[in-house]
Amino acid sequence: MTVREYLNRGYELKREIMLKRQQLENISESMTNLSVNLDGVKVMKTPTASCIENGVVQVIELKEDIDKSVAMLAVVGNEALQIISKLQDLRTETMLIKHYVGFKTWNDVAQEMNITYKTVMNSHHYAMTKLTRILKDSPILEVADVAQ
């Protein structure tokens, strides 16, 4: 796993969390549209209660899954901070933190820091090269390979 891939794990988790939240919203919305037929017609078996039960179970499981992913995102963010801090270059560290931990685009990072996009990209390339060299013999990136 490259340093860039390692640092991008947060992006993947954030995207996964957003998708799960959208799915949760869709399930919750569809459950509020369910109604029980009360017109006096008797049925042998009513699927509505079963549908509601299944929906509630799905909502609970999805909320638990989201909570686990959010906790993992915090861990991944802390790991990214530890890696980035090895650069010992405040400007480059700030830039990487804004992108990899704060999930800002490179354009937004450039604007916020009053530097050009090209400068951001050059600094990023420098940082990836330096971090690769620093972490070359480190078990951090190897452990991440095993975890996936």
Side-chain angles (χ1 to χ4, degrees):
M1 172 179 284
T2 67
V3 173
R4 184 177 302 174
E5 290 169 338
Y6 187 81
L7 293 174
N8 269 326
R9 294 178 309 148
Y11 266 113
E12 298 301 319
L13 273 170
K14 184 177 180 191
R15 189 167 34 119
E16 181 183 309
I17 290 166
M18 288 173 35
L19 289 172
K20 288 177 184 177
R21 285 182 174 158
Q22 182 64 47
Q23 183 182 8
L24 179 63
E25 186 179 314
N26 291 342
I27 293 170
S28 297
E29 186 178 303
S30 68
M31 286 184 57
T32 58
N33 293 332
L34 290 177
S35 62
V36 178
N37 188 358
L38 299 175
D39 65 0
V41 178
K42 293 186 178 190
V43 240
M44 294 287 287
K45 184 177 178 183
T46 173
T48 307
S50 175
C51 289
I52 292 173
E53 271 180 26
N54 290 340
V56 170
V57 169
Q58 272 187 308
V59 165
I60 291 169
E61 288 174 351
L62 200 49
K63 282 183 178 181
E64 289 173 352
D65 197 27
I66 290 169
D67 290 343
K68 287 177 187 173
S69 294
V70 168
M72 185 60 165
L73 182 60
V75 169
V76 166
N78 285 332
E79 290 173 354
L81 288 172
Q82 288 175 351
I83 297 280
I84 292 168
S85 69
K86 293 183 184 301
L87 284 171
Q88 297 182 345
D89 174 351
L90 186 59
R91 185 177 122 185
T92 306
E93 287 178 26
T94 301
M95 186 185 69
L96 294 179
I97 290 168
K98 285 178 181 283
H99 179 73
Y100 289 112
V101 181
F103 307 111
K104 296 190 183 275
T105 66
W106 290 119
N107 282 325
D108 290 342
V109 171
Q111 285 179 343
E112 285 182 19
M113 296 183 70
N114 275 340
I115 54 179
T116 66
Y117 177 80
K118 184 172 179 157
T119 301
V120 168
M121 290 292 90
N122 288 340
S123 296
H124 180 259
H125 178 72
Y126 157 78
M128 293 300 105
T129 302
K130 186 172 179 181
L131 286 173
T132 300
R133 212 174 26 236
I134 291 170
L135 298 171
K136 183 178 76 169
D137 298 322
S138 171
I140 293 172
L141 300 179
E142 293 167 9
V143 169
D145 276 335
V146 173
Q148 291 187 354

